[in-house]
Amino acid sequence: MGLVIGGFTVNLINVLVVAIALLTVLSALTLVLGSSKQERGYSLWFLVAAIGELVWGASIAVMLSLPPTDAGYAVAPWMIKGIYMGAIVMDIGVLGYVAWRNKFGKVLTSLFMIFGLILMVIFLYDPSVLYTSINLSHSGNSISIDLSRGWYIIYIIYFITVALAFCLTMIYRILHTNNKNTRKGYLFFLIGLSISGGLAPIFDLFMPIWRYDLIWVGPTLIGLTMTGFYYAVLRYRMVTINTNWLKVMSSIVLVGGVLCIYLLIFHLVFAALFKVASPSFQVVLLNFIMVAVVLVLTPAIIEIWAMVKSLIIAKQIDLVYIVKKLSKINTKEPNLRDISSFLAEHMHFTYVGFLINGKYFAADDYKIPVEELVEIPKLDYPAKGIWQAASSLDKEMTKKFGIYRVGCLSGASGEMLGQVILGRPTMRGEIDKKDWVEIEMVMSLMGTIIENGGKRIKG
């Protein structure tokens, strides 16, 4: 089942094959433009491979969509030529990208290029060396492959040999690359193409002999691997993306790649569950709408999850979340009561109070009369760190108000601005050294906030 446009049956999978191929070309173009002058020549080989993958994938998508009409039979031979020749160009380009760096690699690539061109010329001159007939029908399009003349066997051997040459050359490149990040990027490419290159011949060389409808698997896997390699290029900084339009292109490639993977998984799951070749146009449209809704809600979901994680994980302090929220506070007029409540929840203390210039700021449930805290301002300034000797305070007072620790709050100049009072911890177990370091970092930030707020502090 698919959407019929001008006689062509447009299935989701055919659209995805073309979309992935276009993303591959876009990633290769971005790689070329982002490469240094020294690397740009090699990157051009990757662009050649991407163009070959586009011709290969697009030809397969159109071939599988052709209607059983005179126009369909007129277009089909050209699509078949595009399938076989596009795959040859792609393989030569991939090999050239990794091998065209030394004399042996140049010779190896040139030999495969020459032999590939010979196969292309023979196929253009006499297509019957590879197939004997074209079969178009509403139940599925296919071709009848001729094995008797031996050329199809040679075609298979050619591709398997190119794949082996690529793997061996890539292993050599990995072993002789000094840059650690470049080595990781090449290793990613080797593993990806070893897997996709191992599966592609099954679906695109062997299975088409008796089953043609899965020929789209090859360009899909190879295209995703090449697009994935571009992610590795960015991840391991193999090229420098330093202009806005290159960043935009990179974002399109990565987001588009993730979307294509999602839709591919959706197609496979839908086909397995409902036993149909492709979901209807309405189902695909609904799926796109749901993806758009999820993307719109993603920032809110991330924010909610960060808040929930910070609240429920009582064995550690989520410093990143706390600093992120404090950085958004209006430092000109900070509300210390609200900040007190927030810090108590996320640093896992019963309360956090601030004693500033004779005024005490805390959540309403933990208000303590200032006159009850007269001993706290008299505590000695610590010789190291921020924590003062709270053990010298009156034991009944500390027990009555649940005082756990008292610390100094200092501004950027080091001047003492006030004190922070921590209630009993709600964490399970002891607070370790790492937690105290993070708490001190938060209090240092609070000192800056209080210093900036000055007399405009609220609460």
Side-chain angles (χ1 to χ4, degrees):
M1 184 184 297
L3 181 66
V4 179
I5 301 177
F8 289 78
T9 304
V10 182
N11 291 329
L12 174 62
I13 196 64
N14 296 333
V15 175
L16 283 177
V17 170
V18 176
I20 291 170
L22 289 172
L23 285 175
T24 304
V25 173
L26 186 59
S27 66
L29 185 61
T30 310
L31 178 63
V32 171
L33 297 175
S35 297
S36 62
K37 291 183 179 179
Q38 183 181 1
E39 290 289 322
R40 190 162 295 167
Y42 306 125
S43 298
L44 284 172
W45 282 105
F46 194 80
L47 179 59
V48 169
I51 293 172
E53 203 276 334
L54 174 62
V55 174
W56 180 33
S59 299
I60 287 175
V62 174
M63 176 62 193
L64 294 177
S65 305
L66 289 174
T69 62
D70 291 341
Y73 278 99
V75 173
W78 294 101
M79 294 302 102
I80 298 171
K81 290 181 175 69
I83 293 171
Y84 288 110
M85 292 191 293
I88 292 174
V89 172
M90 181 204 66
D91 273 23
I92 293 172
V94 170
L95 180 61
Y97 177 66
V98 296
W100 199 267
R101 295 171 186 267
N102 52 50
K103 291 183 179 179
F104 177 77
K106 290 178 180 178
V107 171
L108 186 66
T109 305
S110 298
L111 288 175
F112 277 105
M113 189 188 306
I114 292 170
F115 195 72
L117 289 173
I118 292 173
L119 285 177
M120 291 167 67
V121 170
I122 291 173
F123 183 51
L124 283 172
Y125 177 74
D126 183 11
S128 64
V129 298
L130 293 178
Y131 72 93
T132 54
S133 64
I134 298 171
N135 312 303
L136 304 181
S137 68
H138 292 296
S139 59
N141 300 338
S142 64
I143 61 174
S144 299
I145 296 175
D146 184 11
L147 296 176
S148 62
R149 298 176 64 177
W151 283 104
Y152 192 78
I153 305 298
I154 294 173
Y155 186 78
I156 292 175
I157 293 173
Y158 174 80
F159 275 99
I160 293 176
T161 308
V162 172
L164 290 174
F166 164 80
C167 290
L168 293 175
T169 306
M170 183 61 86
I171 292 171
Y172 175 86
R173 180 65 48 211
I174 291 171
L175 295 176
H176 291 80
T177 298
N178 295 324
N179 188 290
K180 185 178 180 180
N181 285 337
T182 302
R183 190 182 301 119
K184 289 180 179 178
Y186 283 154
L187 183 61
F188 181 95
F189 197 29
L190 173 61
I191 294 173
L193 271 186
S194 296
I195 296 172
S196 59
L199 293 173
I202 296 174
F203 291 96
D204 285 64
L205 294 177
F206 298 107
M207 286 186 66
I209 296 173
W210 70 89
R211 181 175 177 177
Y212 204 75
D213 61 307
L214 294 178
I215 196 172
W216 57 268
V217 174
T220 302
L221 293 177
I222 299 293
L224 287 175
T225 300
M226 293 177 69
T227 305
F229 174 65
Y230 183 71
Y231 163 77
V233 166
L234 297 180
R235 170 68 176 80
Y236 299 113
R237 301 187 182 279
M238 295 171 67
V239 299
T240 303
I241 305 299
N242 52 13
T243 59
N244 290 332
W245 62 275
L246 282 178
K247 293 177 182 178
V248 171
M249 289 174 68
S250 298
S251 300
I252 294 172
V253 170
L254 297 180
V255 174
V258 171
L259 181 60
C260 286
I261 292 173
Y262 167 77
L263 290 174
L264 179 62
I265 295 172
F266 166 75
H267 168 82
L268 296 175
V269 171
F270 189 92
L273 288 177
F274 298 101
K275 309 298 182 183
V276 295
S278 182
S280 66
F281 174 74
Q282 290 82 0
V283 172
V284 175
L285 180 60
L286 176 62
N287 199 48
F288 268 108
I289 293 172
M290 294 307 298
V291 169
V293 170
V294 171
L295 289 176
V296 171
L297 293 178
T298 295
I301 294 171
I302 293 173
E303 180 68 18
I304 292 171
W305 168 242
M307 180 189 69
V308 171
K309 185 180 72 170
S310 181
L311 287 172
I312 66 176
I313 301 178
K315 290 186 178 181
Q316 64 184 36
I317 295 170
D318 193 340
L319 180 64
V320 174
Y321 180 75
I322 293 173
V323 172
K324 177 184 174 183
K325 298 302 288 187
L326 290 179
S327 65
K328 295 180 180 180
I329 287 173
N330 180 9
T331 57
K332 298 299 182 182
E333 296 185 22
N335 189 316
L336 292 187
R337 184 180 61 182
D338 292 343
I339 296 174
S340 165
S341 179
F342 168 76
L343 291 179
E345 289 178 346
H346 294 274
M347 293 200 307
H348 312 299
F349 291 98
T350 51
Y351 67 87
V352 174
F354 299 101
L355 189 59
I356 312 292
N357 296 328
K359 295 181 179 180
Y360 183 67
F361 304 90
D364 291 338
D365 293 342
Y366 295 96
K367 283 287 188 181
I368 303 174
V370 176
E371 57 269 19
E372 299 276 3
L373 304 173
V374 291
E375 292 186 37
I376 291 180
K378 299 176 183 178
L379 291 173
D380 293 331
Y381 195 87
K384 183 179 180 182
I386 70 169
W387 304 112
Q388 297 174 280
S391 58
S392 63
L393 296 172
D394 180 73
K395 296 294 187 290
E396 290 190 11
M397 182 191 73
T398 57
K399 184 178 180 180
K400 178 181 178 181
F401 299 117
I403 296 174
Y404 182 68
R405 275 205 179 186
V406 179
C408 296
L409 293 172
S410 302
S413 61
E415 178 185 358
M416 184 171 171
L417 303 172
Q419 292 161 291
V420 59
I421 303 172
L422 301 180
R424 294 188 184 92
T426 58
M427 284 185 177
R428 292 183 179 179
E430 293 292 327
I431 302 176
D432 59 27
K433 185 177 179 180
K434 173 178 173 291
D435 291 324
W436 282 119
V437 170
E438 293 181 343
I439 291 170
E440 289 185 22
M441 292 173 67
V442 173
M443 292 309 147
S444 176
L445 179 56
M446 282 305 306
T448 303
I449 292 173
I450 292 169
E451 184 178 46
N452 291 337
K455 296 181 180 180
R456 294 179 297 275
I457 293 173
K458 298 188 297 184

